[in-house]
Amino acid sequence: MSATAGNLAVTVEALREQIRRLQAAPRKYLAALRTGVEPFDALLPGGGLPLGQVVELWGERASGRTSLALRAVASAHREGRLCAYVDGPGELYPPAAVAAGVDPSRLLIVRPRTVEHLAWSAVQLVRSGAFACVVLDLTRAPPGTARGEDGVRLSPAEGKRLMDAAGRGGSLLLLLTAAEAPADGMLRLRTESRGDRGLSVEVVRSRQGGLGTRTLLPWRALYPELTEEACPWGTQLPPAEAVTVPELVREPSPEREGHRGILGQRPGRDVPMPSLRPMLASEPGLH
């Protein structure tokens, strides 16, 4: 082997080693997405939301699903990464997202007009690998559709496509699902509001263990900028004042024109319907 060929082999091997290090480092760094909410991250098997998988935030309305999803998006933005939000109900409020730490310049919001395009849009976004986190809100159908307000239920084929896309793209796919329509996420977390105490999160499905574990997240953990008595949804309404409403004098309404029926009355409303038996008895042949 000549000296030139030997140097080339050494260079190629050095490049291969460097590529191996570059490939290994991001996988280790992006194994999980930590939200920064310590009680929540500690609840998860890997210390954070696992990338390359489908995680389901499942619960009733106002149970904190969107708040947790926005914290995950904000965490990805702090690392300089892009995120996408497939807004099925069309109710994502940008000022609230910004207040949760979301960077609007790094968030792509997609609002499909049909139910069929919800899962399809998420598959394309996750499969691209361009987004560290993709949120798919299935809590309600898009406005104008006939699915009602019970949430959108994915078909088994759609669920499989989403899981395959997450595995290939390496992105975290967060499903926001209604209590009436759970999905098939690899990790399912049930969220419940505990009033002024905070938000309860329980692991109800996991392939890595930890089933039944639960934690309570104080509102201050989700919204550090709040004061002790502040409301996480903005300024509270002022206390109601006692107001005396005067009783209005009801004037008699004029008689309506039109058919008044027998005896000038409205049968069934003003007086009982008179019997027709005497009238029928006086007519020959009518019995």
Side-chain angles (χ1 to χ4, degrees):
M1 179 183 295
S2 63
T4 303
N7 293 336
L8 180 59
V10 171
T11 303
V12 170
E13 184 59 31
L15 290 174
R16 286 178 178 174
E17 181 61 26
Q18 186 175 1
I19 291 173
R20 282 193 291 267
R21 287 199 305 268
L22 291 174
Q23 288 177 338
R27 289 175 183 171
K28 183 177 180 181
Y29 178 69
L30 295 178
L33 179 63
R34 292 172 174 79
T35 63
V37 182
E38 294 183 3
F40 178 71
D41 293 337
L43 177 70
L44 303 173
L49 294 167
L51 297 185
Q53 295 188 24
V54 179
V55 178
E56 181 181 355
L57 300 177
W58 172 56
E60 302 283 350
R61 280 192 177 187
S63 63
R65 299 166 300 191
T66 304
S67 297
L68 286 173
L70 292 178
R71 286 303 300 261
V73 171
S75 177
H77 285 171
R78 287 193 295 270
E79 297 176 358
R81 304 189 178 277
L82 302 176
C83 297
Y85 198 108
V86 183
D87 187 11
E91 297 176 345
L92 179 63
Y93 188 50
V98 173
V102 173
D103 182 358
S105 65
R106 295 182 177 274
L107 179 64
L108 173 66
I109 301 176
V110 181
R111 286 177 171 160
R113 297 184 179 181
T114 65
V115 173
E116 293 74 18
H117 286 161
L118 288 174
W120 182 89
S121 300
V123 166
Q124 308 310 314
L125 294 168
V126 174
R127 184 183 293 169
S128 70
F131 304 94
C133 177
V134 177
V135 181
L136 174 56
D137 191 342
L138 300 171
T139 55
R140 291 179 62 188
T145 58
R147 289 291 186 94
E149 299 184 358
D150 295 336
V152 178
R153 189 181 294 272
L154 296 174
S155 67
E158 289 173 327
K160 187 177 185 307
R161 283 195 291 268
L162 287 171
M163 286 190 287
D164 290 345
R168 293 180 182 180
S171 302
L172 165 66
L173 176 57
L174 279 177
L175 300 181
L176 308 185
T177 56
E180 304 84 1
D184 195 23
M186 299 179 184
L187 175 64
R188 180 184 296 166
L189 306 173
R190 176 188 292 159
T191 60
E192 294 179 289
S193 175
R194 297 300 186 187
D196 57 357
R197 296 174 54 199
L199 171 66
S200 171
V201 183
E202 179 185 3
V203 179
V204 296
R205 180 176 184 179
S206 174
R207 298 184 180 181
Q208 300 178 359
L211 293 179
T213 54
R214 183 195 301 263
T215 187
L216 181 66
L217 309 179
W219 292 121
R220 289 287 302 276
L222 289 173
Y223 303 92
E225 67 279 4
L226 294 179
T227 58
E228 289 294 336
E229 289 116 9
C231 174
W233 300 282
T235 305
Q236 296 186 15
L237 295 177
E241 298 180 0
V243 178
T244 302
V245 180
E247 184 177 355
L248 300 179
V249 179
R250 187 171 183 178
E251 299 180 357
S253 58
E255 294 185 359
R256 292 183 296 179
E257 299 295 333
H259 180 65
R260 300 289 294 182
I262 302 174
L263 303 178
Q265 303 293 337
R266 293 171 293 182
R269 296 186 62 184
D270 295 327
V271 295
M273 181 74 175
S275 175
L276 299 180
R277 186 178 298 278
M279 184 184 303
L280 295 176
S282 63
E283 294 292 336
L286 296 179
H287 297 284

